[in-house]
Amino acid sequence: MIHDATSDYLAGLESRLTADGCAPRQDNWGGAPVLVGRRSDFRLRWLATNLHLFTIAAAVPYVATETIAVFTGQCLQYARQNKGGLPVGLQTGVAVFPVLVSERVDPAALAWARERQRNEFACFARPVVVDSSKGEVAVFRGKPLIGRGYAGHLTRKGDAYLGQRG
């Protein structure tokens, strides 16, 4: 059962994604509802690269470190397979905000999300853990060595989409 605070957070996220032109939609991943929003941005300063940004969010009963780690991997795979255009790495990259929302969150999962950006070849993930009971949002906000050129863009989009910071 999804509680009011979790539902409210997801509704707000969907609204913020819509406002930024991400065309959010509901999807079904193994019987579980998932909110998926995406946009594509091109910048010359990114060495003429097109960055496909996905925000994929789900409500879960409990967020542990393993839960967000597995979800992050699933989201990276989904984004790679659904981005369209040129293959990843050929003037195109993928970034993902994998977002898990719950009223029950292990503090270690919050710390894991804040720790660092997760990277694969031409793919970046900034996992997000939301403790909806406290209004706490944990996400990496730094400038990683790999993917540094996209850091400001991802931080701005995270600020616009994810809401209150904890």
Side-chain angles (χ1 to χ4, degrees):
M1 180 175 151
I2 298 176
H3 294 95
D4 288 343
T6 298
S7 294
D8 290 348
Y9 181 84
L10 289 170
L13 175 60
E14 184 172 12
S15 176
R16 292 184 293 274
L17 291 170
T18 299
D20 197 41
C22 296
R25 63 181 175 76
Q26 294 292 325
D27 204 347
N28 184 318
W29 286 16
V34 176
L35 174 67
V36 178
R38 75 169 293 223
R39 65 173 292 125
S40 182
D41 293 293
F42 175 85
R43 301 282 191 280
L44 287 174
R45 71 175 174 263
W46 296 338
L47 304 174
T49 299
N50 196 29
L51 182 67
H52 300 271
L53 176 59
F54 288 78
T55 303
I56 304 171
V60 294
Y62 180 73
V63 181
T65 303
E66 182 177 336
T67 313
I68 186 64
V70 168
F71 187 66
T72 297
Q74 293 169 334
C75 290
L76 278 166
Q77 180 180 6
Y78 175 89
R80 243 189 327 272
Q81 292 172 345
N82 291 281
K83 67 159 198 62
L86 293 171
V88 172
L90 294 176
Q91 296 307 113
T92 189
V94 171
V96 182
F97 289 118
V99 182
L100 285 183
V101 185
S102 182
E103 292 186 357
R104 296 181 50 235
V105 175
D106 182 341
L110 293 166
W112 187 87
R114 287 186 184 106
E115 179 182 65
R116 65 183 170 86
Q117 176 174 285
R118 275 48 186 192
N119 300 323
E120 293 180 3
F121 176 70
C123 297
F124 316 103
R126 290 193 175 196
V128 182
V129 174
V130 178
D131 184 335
S132 57
S133 70
K134 298 177 182 174
E136 186 172 1
V137 178
V139 63
F140 176 75
R141 295 182 44 77
K143 290 189 176 182
L145 184 59
I146 297 173
R148 188 175 189 84
Y150 303 105
H153 180 72
L154 294 177
T155 298
R156 284 187 299 280
K157 292 300 180 186
D159 288 347
Y161 301 162
L162 303 173
Q164 184 177 352
R165 301 253 171 243

